[in-house]
Amino acid sequence: LYCPLREGLEENTECTRVLRVVPFRIHMTNNTSPCFSFSFAYTTTHIMSLRGLFLAALLVSAAANDEEVTKEFQAKPGSGSTTVEISNSASTKCSFKFSCNGGTGETWGMKLNKDRCSVYNLSGDGVSYLYFEFVSIAISGPGNPSIFSTFSDPADLSEFETSATSSESGPSFKHSIHELGIEYAGSEREL
């Protein structure tokens, strides 16, 4: 029996039967947030509270899975090798490394979400006038994310060499991109 003590009462008049002691654990299968667990005893009056706790945990999970992080950066010719990084709350990190010449500086954007990272030209028409010596995009973090797809505009995918964690310009690279991205999955997610 579970009998809460009430101040001012000589004996406990409110006693209810404990239905069960339950271990409670929330674990994100794609490692987007920390795992936590605890045990508690519940009564029939706690069932509604458990329902609310469960719904709150689902909302936190959905928010973590749908998180999208963006960043703007300047691609300046003649700056040598430059690396731009972006990471999310799950500690997944995407890196874009490049060197460019020609043209003037351009504003570029970088976007990272649960299964995709991309870099893209933010200029009005989306066309880049930079001559890229090389480009590389890579993913790292918990769950050992691995690339299963590379996409680019206007470059042909044959211009890139892709490994499990990076995609970079190869010998046939034509030195022009407007957008470059990767789609990835963690070790616990099906490809």
Side-chain angles (χ1 to χ4, degrees):
L1 287 179
Y2 171 71
C3 301
L5 292 175
R6 296 238 156 166
E7 192 174 319
L9 295 177
E10 289 184 20
E11 51 185 83
N12 294 319
T13 57
E14 293 183 28
C15 293
T16 56
R17 178 171 296 278
V18 172
L19 298 176
R20 189 171 177 192
V21 173
V22 178
F24 186 77
R25 181 180 177 112
I26 295 176
H27 179 75
M28 307 308 189
T29 58
N30 60 357
N31 291 326
T32 58
S33 40
C35 174
F36 61 92
S37 62
F38 56 89
S39 296
F40 59 92
Y42 71 89
T43 67
T44 54
T45 58
H46 288 117
I47 291 174
M48 293 308 287
S49 296
L50 289 174
R51 186 181 198 186
L53 182 62
F54 180 71
L55 290 174
L58 286 177
L59 289 174
V60 167
S61 172
N65 287 337
D66 292 338
E67 176 188 26
E68 184 174 274
V69 184
T70 59
K71 179 178 191 172
E72 286 187 15
F73 63 94
Q74 292 295 312
K76 296 180 183 177
S79 297
S81 180
T82 304
T83 301
V84 180
E85 296 180 333
I86 190 170
S87 60
N88 62 18
S89 62
S91 299
T92 300
K93 180 170 71 172
C94 182
S95 303
F96 176 58
K97 187 174 183 178
F98 67 97
S99 179
C100 61
N101 289 304
T104 59
E106 296 176 349
T107 303
W108 281 66
M110 191 168 189
K111 186 185 311 181
L112 173 65
N113 62 28
K114 68 179 179 174
D115 58 3
R116 188 176 186 159
C117 178
S118 61
V119 291
Y120 46 92
N121 187 323
L122 289 172
S123 300
D125 58 4
V127 176
S128 176
Y129 296 99
L130 295 174
Y131 179 89
F132 285 93
E133 297 291 332
F134 72 89
V135 293
S136 173
I137 189 166
I139 195 76
S140 63
N144 299 315
S146 60
I147 297 172
F148 65 88
S149 175
T150 299
F151 57 93
S152 178
D153 176 32
D156 185 313
L157 294 182
S158 65
E159 296 179 41
F160 296 93
E161 297 176 350
T162 302
S163 69
T165 58
S166 69
S167 185
E168 58 187 50
S169 52
S172 63
F173 181 55
K174 294 185 178 90
H175 307 283
S176 177
I177 60 168
H178 308 311
E179 179 179 20
L180 175 63
I182 52 175
E183 293 179 319
Y184 66 91
S187 62
E188 294 181 13
R189 184 171 172 213
E190 280 188 36
L191 297 178

